[in-house]
Amino acid sequence: MKVEDILIELKELSENSKIRKSELMEILKKYARIISVQDLMLATVRMRKDGEFVHANYREKYLSIYVKYFIMRMKEVKENDDYEDSAIDKTLFDESFPMLRQTFEKERLSNDKNDKFPLIYVITSLYTTFILEEPIHPVGSEFPGSLFVEEIDGKYFCPVKDNQKDNVNAICHLCLAEQTPDI
């Protein structure tokens, strides 16, 4: 099994008329199992390096959130058997696939072929959106200007979602959060 095989399996899954969470979780768990502790450490180092470009006032908050909710989700994916096995939003899944594939392939080209960061990215994005039904940036994530991702009456709002609408590589297109009103 190669890392890029996840794209083939997700594409095959998208050919179903309906997709259940259990079907998606089976694929996510399968690929999460091939991610080692060393792979997670390398991904953390990479995120820390990327974090050097985040404004100093937000850097540590950014890193703690991303390491916790992005990298460490692999353990959660492997162990989570406690979710409602309902149908996922197939339209959103189908629309997200080209963006995830493009991001995966771009990350693979620009880095070592053994780097599992692109796989972690795909697994975490799909798990968070379709299994947990939560926004990609967790509630409480802070953005410049003291703006936060928040949950209000069971809906998620992000203060920067609209800023990314023209960025075809932004994971925001997959995120179920809405733009925070009046921003």
Side-chain angles (χ1 to χ4, degrees):
M1 174 171 63
K2 297 180 290 198
V3 170
E4 59 271 14
D5 290 346
I6 193 170
L7 298 176
I8 296 166
E9 291 192 41
L10 292 171
K11 185 64 175 162
E12 289 171 356
L13 184 62
S14 74
E15 293 169 3
N16 296 345
S17 60
K18 243 181 160 177
I19 302 172
R20 301 204 56 79
K21 287 183 178 183
S22 58
E23 295 170 305
L24 178 58
M25 275 300 282
E26 184 178 325
I27 294 170
L28 300 180
K29 283 177 178 258
K30 177 180 174 179
Y31 286 91
R33 285 187 204 106
I34 67 170
I35 297 169
S36 69
V37 172
Q38 182 180 2
D39 295 324
L40 294 175
M41 290 169 49
L42 290 171
T44 301
V45 167
R46 181 174 169 179
M47 290 187 87
R48 288 199 166 280
K49 187 172 187 251
D50 290 347
E52 292 173 1
F53 301 104
V54 174
H55 193 280
N57 293 342
Y58 299 97
R59 187 175 304 124
E60 281 310 311
K61 292 175 192 175
Y62 160 85
L63 290 171
S64 68
I65 285 174
Y66 276 86
V67 169
K68 179 179 178 184
Y69 288 99
F70 191 80
I71 303 296
M72 300 317 293
R73 278 253 158 100
M74 288 306 97
K75 181 179 187 304
E76 186 179 325
V77 169
K78 291 178 201 177
E79 297 174 357
N80 187 353
D81 293 318
D82 187 28
Y83 55 88
E84 181 184 331
D85 187 22
S86 56
I88 66 169
D89 182 337
K90 180 156 173 23
T91 303
L92 180 59
F93 183 83
D94 291 345
E95 290 171 356
S96 72
F97 186 76
M99 185 268 305
L100 284 173
R101 180 178 52 228
Q102 178 182 358
T103 302
F104 182 92
E105 290 170 353
K106 183 183 95 183
E107 291 290 335
R108 293 280 293 186
L109 287 174
S110 63
N111 293 293
D112 178 356
K113 291 285 186 201
N114 296 319
D115 182 5
K116 293 201 179 113
F117 183 83
L119 180 61
I120 296 167
Y121 183 90
V122 168
I123 292 170
T124 301
S125 300
L126 292 172
Y127 177 72
T128 304
T129 302
F130 296 107
I131 305 301
L132 299 179
E133 298 179 15
E134 295 177 358
I136 300 291
H137 291 97
V139 171
S141 295
E142 186 176 1
F143 294 94
S146 297
L147 303 171
F148 299 87
V149 173
E150 50 191 350
E151 181 182 3
I152 302 171
D153 298 327
K155 289 180 119 179
Y156 298 103
F157 295 95
C158 177
V160 299
K161 177 130 183 178
D162 283 353
N163 295 355
Q164 299 299 322
K165 63 184 170 196
D166 294 330
N167 180 354
V168 294
N169 295 320
I171 194 69
C172 301
H173 298 291
L174 175 61
C175 185
L176 48 78
E178 299 173 25
Q179 173 64 39
T180 302
D182 303 318
I183 299 246

